[in-house]
Amino acid sequence: MGLSKGKFERIQACADEQGVIAAAAMDQRGSLRKAIAKARGAEVSDAELTEFKTAVVKILTPYASAILMDTEYGLPALKHKAPGTGVLLAYEKSGYDTSTVGRLPDLLPDLSVRRIVELGGDAVKILLYYNPEDDPKINNIKHAFIERVGAECAALEVPFFLEPIAYNDQLGEGLEFAKVKPRYVAKYMEEFSKDRYGVDVLKVELPFNIAYTSGTLGFKGEEAYTRAQALQFLKDTASAAGKPFIYLSAGVSDAVFRESLEMAAEAGVPFSGVLCGRATWQDGIPVYAKQGLEALEAWLSDQGVKNIQLLNQVLAKGAKPWWTLYGSLEAARG
């Protein structure tokens, strides 16, 4: 089945002429505030978050097909985006409730999909912490939550980009979690490709942690798998996907993210682009924290632009149009 007219046109608005989603992410909220505050050694105001976001939007969107933004601090920044740049808006609250188990999601109370469209959004993004092997009661709540968002998006013909983030609170984030990550990513890609959720594009993690992948530039010395195994994980997870998917950068460096995407291209997986945030602009955080806005804009105009251009070169070689899984552009149109 193809997409509704509204969904089709709005996904196209977030893609480039080749149908590749070369999007920048700037919807970080709490994590961005903490990072700037840590680099500065002092508190960060809401106005400063908006200022940082505005600089990123103004300087990087000429090189991006779309920008992912939050509505709390980022709306003023969108006035400075390049013409023709698509807009994805985050619908979920930042972070999760640490007082209950399960990392349950929640929506921003003053938002709806209708309001996201009225604010200029072409698409809705939801981040969901997800452990496919968690207590079924927890995952049942999360499944119902995604079904509701999917139905709301379908009613208004707005594309639904879902960003599942694998986790296991017992294993933490080290070697042992790296070992289960390929299985978790494959399982969530299969689960949320089901039509009942109404997801249109999956924004997914690379199915390995490159720090534990021997034979890569990003390898840190402790092995969970080899580069050859990581290539197989890419193929296995891609075959589990029944929806178009794009990769997120997960805060790794720009060079490491490019290496990971080159591996995806080598594995021949039909990924349809990226939603890349911190890999492109995170090294500008200490510049802004210590030297201010002008210094950040100078850094973004030089290194930030170089980072996104190098990323776009990798996408030009390896990424496939978002409609690839539909068979053709016409089939996607429905």
Side-chain angles (χ1 to χ4, degrees), residues 232-314:
Q232 189 58 49
F233 297 149
L234 284 159
K235 294 173 185 175
D236 293 344
T237 49
S239 66
K243 299 287 181 183
F245 63 94
I246 58 179
Y247 288 122
L248 58 95
S249 60
V252 299
S253 74
D254 187 63
V256 166
F257 188 46
R258 286 200 308 273
E259 181 187 16
S260 303
L261 294 176
E262 285 163 356
M263 289 170 64
E266 183 182 335
V269 302
F271 76 101
S272 296
V274 294
L275 242 166
C276 178
R278 288 169 289 173
T280 303
W281 49 255
Q282 66 186 349
D283 289 343
I285 289 173
V287 176
Y288 177 69
K290 291 171 181 149
Q291 299 171 57
L293 178 62
E294 280 188 30
L296 171 64
E297 290 184 337
W299 183 91
L300 286 167
S301 299
D302 178 24
Q303 195 57 51
V305 169
K306 283 178 186 168
N307 287 347
I308 202 167
Q309 287 177 324
L310 287 167
L311 192 60
N312 286 342
Q313 287 172 21
V314 176

